[in-house]
Amino acid sequence: MATEQMFCFQCEQVAKCEACTGGAGVCGKPADVADAQDALTGAMIALARTAREAGVKNDRICDLIVDGLFTCMTNVNFDGQAVTALKDAVRVETVAVAAAAGIEPVSDYDVDQIWGDDEDIRSLKSLVLFGLRGTAAYAYHARVLGYRDATVDEFFADALAQLAEPGSVDALLPLALKVGEVNLGCMRLLDEANTGTYGTPEPTTVAMEVEPGPFIVISGHDLHDLKLLLEQTEGTGVSIYTHGEMLPAHAYPELKKYPQLKGNFGTAWQNQKKEFDGVPAAFLFTTNCLMPPKESYADNVFTTEVVAFPGCTHIGPDKDFGPVIQKALELGGYDEPHTIPGINGGTTMTTGFAQGTVLSVADTVVDAVKSGAIKHFFLVAGCDGARPGRNYYTDFVKATPDDTVVLTLACGKYRFNDLDLGEIGGLPRLMDMGQCNDAYSAIQVAVALAEAFDCGVNDLPLSMVLSWYEQKAVCILLTLLYLGIRNIKLGPTLPAFVSPGVLDVLVENYGIAPITTPEADLAELLGE
């Protein structure tokens, strides 16, 4: 299915729910960047195959592959030159590995072979590849903090090498579930890295009001970048506001201690063109949340790590955020307090209900379930996005009965995290567990509850209603399937890369199903 135009169907917003095949993707990624990312993927597969043939495993190979997988995620890198430079570095390493082993380097793999394969093989290989990209992002963030796991690192190369083989449904389905298993270990590693570095998250109420004066809005997942920015803004008079997936940073003791970390600006990533337009502030993007900026604020946008956009200033490995701080000082911020309310009009939100907090009151939770005060738990979590129909999640949460608890995580929570759902026995009915990688916290809470009630997770009064957009959601879904979690509701649409045949397998083995309406799904999940 080779084509002169791009072929990309890795995110939820693909054109016509099928694929982006024109001159640019719905995300704004130009065809030449999509082609460069395919070429980078092909070069990484060649490196993985060459390393396997040479019997070589080392950190340099793992780092290049993790960087490359992360670079190819949606809303990360729109700079074709940067992508090509990374591909060239991968090729240099492939040649070096081959030369050291006295073998010929494997040629770059043509990724069009995947896109043009039998639909079930294409579907499963895509599931593996996109899951690897999501897991690589988590591995990247852990590595920045000095945490890495050889089993996780080496799996990326092993799995990529297998994508070049003909493959079969019988071989590829277990490989996809293996991605889920490795991702669970990777999320555990990142949880250890974040809590080991910044402390255990604490329930924290976050304001959505911006104070007068110069400020920087930081978006993404990389807490290390935020910590460095906080250190460098001490004494400058510049305030810091989080955006998108950076919101949970307010709950970490070693981050919240900085007085210039003031609050949260705006809502989820897909609203940035509206919310950033004309704002007198600097914006720093650390991970996969970047949209092509509007001209009105493009000069105020800075990127770092593998995030890049042509024309935007990139902060390199030296992590000198001086240009970002200087831009904020030049712009000056607002003269008066300024608030961007939440989707439902709220002006505060609470975060920090990770596993440490929830498990510390496990006895209270268990007693509330046994007494009937809590009848059901809903994990309403995942990515946000712009496709119509995502108001389903707002309506679903609003309709949950007063004797139920809503756990949430990732940026999909912006659909409802400014709601006040009240309390049950002193516990809030709505608990934000953190970023998407904090799905690990949700899993640990579910496992602990299952142990307390001496049953399986699938036997708990717990339902998962998930939204997806990009590849981190893919690897989390694979983790849940690896753990045997059944009857997940997924929306707002099913992945375009999941073929009817593969979907049948997922339905038969795991009971996965698309969302319908809040009323119908609630009735089904509550057994009404």
Side-chain angles (χ1 to χ4, degrees):
M1 203 178 83
T3 174
E4 294 180 357
Q5 296 182 314
M6 70 183 295
F7 179 85
C8 184
F9 61 172
Q10 70 175 359
C11 85
E12 191 270 334
Q13 289 182 180
V14 295
K16 300 178 182 179
C17 293
E18 295 176 356
C20 293
T21 57
V26 173
C27 68
K29 178 173 61 178
D32 66 313
V33 176
D35 290 343
Q37 291 179 343
D38 278 355
L40 170 57
T41 300
M44 288 189 295
I45 291 174
L47 173 57
R49 296 174 71 194
T50 301
R52 182 174 65 178
E53 185 176 340
V56 175
K57 297 179 179 179
N58 58 48
D59 287 352
R60 173 61 177 168
I61 293 172
C62 294
D63 289 350
L64 282 170
I65 288 177
V66 165
D67 291 358
L69 287 167
F70 189 6
T71 295
C72 293
M73 281 184 60
T74 305
N75 292 91
V76 170
N77 199 309
F78 296 81
D79 190 332
Q81 291 185 344
V83 176
T84 298
L86 182 52
K87 177 202 68 180
D88 292 343
V90 170
R91 284 178 170 171
V92 167
E93 184 65 19
T94 302
V95 172
V97 169
I103 62 174
E104 288 295 317
V106 176
S107 299
D108 286 3
Y109 180 74
D110 182 0
V111 178
D112 277 348
Q113 293 182 60
I114 295 178
W115 309 148
D117 216 327
D118 167 84
E119 67 172 1
D120 288 341
I121 301 302
R122 179 181 76 168
S123 180
L124 287 169
K125 285 189 175 183
S126 297
L127 200 58
V128 170
L129 176 59
F130 302 156
L132 289 174
R133 288 175 178 173
T135 304
Y138 297 144
Y140 186 101
H141 298 316
R143 188 184 78 199
V144 165
L145 294 175
Y147 287 70
R148 61 191 310 158
D149 181 287
T151 300
V152 173
D153 283 349
E154 292 168 5
F155 176 72
F156 292 115
D158 292 340
L160 280 178
Q162 292 183 60
L163 291 180
E165 298 168 359
S168 67
V169 171
D170 289 342
L172 288 168
L173 186 56
L175 180 60
L177 295 177
K178 184 67 176 179
V179 174
E181 179 185 1
V182 171
N183 183 63
L184 178 63
C186 193
M187 288 195 297
R188 180 188 303 116
L189 183 71
L190 182 53
D191 180 76
E192 293 172 356
N194 285 338
T195 56
T197 306
Y198 306 116
T200 300
E202 307 164 343
T204 304
T205 298
V206 183
M208 301 175 72
E209 180 181 87
V210 178
E211 299 177 4
F215 67 100
I216 296 168
V217 176
I218 181 170
S219 192
H221 300 70
D222 203 304
L223 301 181
H224 179 63
D225 285 329
L226 172 59
K227 178 66 157 57
L228 294 176
L229 183 63
L230 289 169
E231 291 174 348
Q232 293 179 38
T233 52
E234 285 190 285
T236 64
V238 175
S239 298
I240 307 299
Y241 293 84
T242 56
H243 171 263
E245 285 275 33
M246 195 62 78
L247 167 66
H250 292 274
Y252 286 91
E254 290 301 308
L255 297 175
K256 65 188 296 185
K257 70 181 183 182
Y258 289 88
Q260 70 269 36
L261 180 60
K262 297 290 188 179
N264 191 74
F265 184 94
T267 53
W269 66 271
Q270 78 280 357
N271 298 319
Q272 65 190 252
K273 287 191 174 184
K274 175 180 67 175
E275 294 176 348
F276 291 3
D277 190 16
V279 174
F283 303 96
L284 176 62
F285 287 89
T286 68
T287 54
N288 57 307
C289 54
L290 175 64
M291 295 182 72
K294 294 177 66 173
E295 185 176 348
S296 65
Y297 65 86
D299 288 345
N300 306 345
V301 170
F302 298 79
T303 60
T304 192
E305 300 297 345
V306 301
V307 185
F309 192 87
C312 292
T313 301
H314 187 77
I315 305 300
D318 63 353
K319 293 298 181 180
D320 177 5
F321 292 122
V324 191
I325 298 169
Q326 185 59 39
K327 175 62 72 172
L329 290 169
E330 290 174 4
L331 293 169
Y334 293 112
D335 295 328
E336 303 288 339
H338 183 88
T339 300
I340 297 180
I343 297 294
N344 305 285
T347 56
T348 63
M349 53 189 71
T350 302
T351 189
F353 290 92
Q355 59 172 320
T357 295
V358 178
L359 294 181
S360 71
V361 294
D363 290 344
T364 302
V365 174
V366 170
D367 289 343
V369 174
K370 289 181 177 179
S371 70
I374 296 177
K375 295 288 180 59
H376 207 87
F377 296 89
F378 295 100
L379 177 62
V380 186
C383 311
D384 206 354
R387 188 187 296 279
R390 287 182 179 268
N391 58 308
Y392 164 96
Y393 297 94
T394 309
D395 296 339
F396 184 96
V397 169
K398 286 181 176 179
T400 54
D402 292 341
D403 55 4
T404 63
V405 170
V406 177
L407 306 174
T408 190
L409 51 88
C411 62
K413 63 176 172 273
Y414 280 100
R415 294 281 169 173
F416 49 80
N417 66 341
D418 62 326
L419 292 171
D420 182 0
L421 299 184
E423 297 183 346
I424 299 178
L427 299 173
R429 284 193 56 230
L430 176 61
M431 300 185 191
D432 174 15
M433 307 190 81
Q435 295 182 337
C436 59
N437 57 279
D438 290 309
Y440 179 71
S441 275
I443 290 168
Q444 294 306 105
V445 168
V447 169
L449 287 174
E451 291 177 353
F453 289 103
D454 193 23
C455 67
V457 171
N458 288 314
D459 299 317
L460 289 171
L462 168 66
S463 300
M464 298 189 182
V465 184
L466 308 181
S467 56
W468 83 283
Y469 174 74
E470 44 78 29
Q471 297 78 63
K472 290 179 180 177
V474 174
C475 64
I476 291 173
L477 177 62
L478 291 175
T479 292
L480 295 175
L481 298 182
Y482 159 72
L483 291 170
I485 306 298
R486 293 184 54 82
N487 303 321
I488 297 169
K489 296 286 186 183
L490 183 64
T493 62
L494 294 179
F497 55 81
V498 173
S499 67
V502 171
L503 180 59
D504 287 344
V505 172
L506 297 180
V507 171
E508 179 180 354
N509 292 331
Y510 303 100
I512 195 167
I515 59 172
T516 59
T517 67
E519 298 77 14
D521 290 344
L522 266 172
E524 177 188 344
L525 296 173
L526 292 172
E528 298 176 352

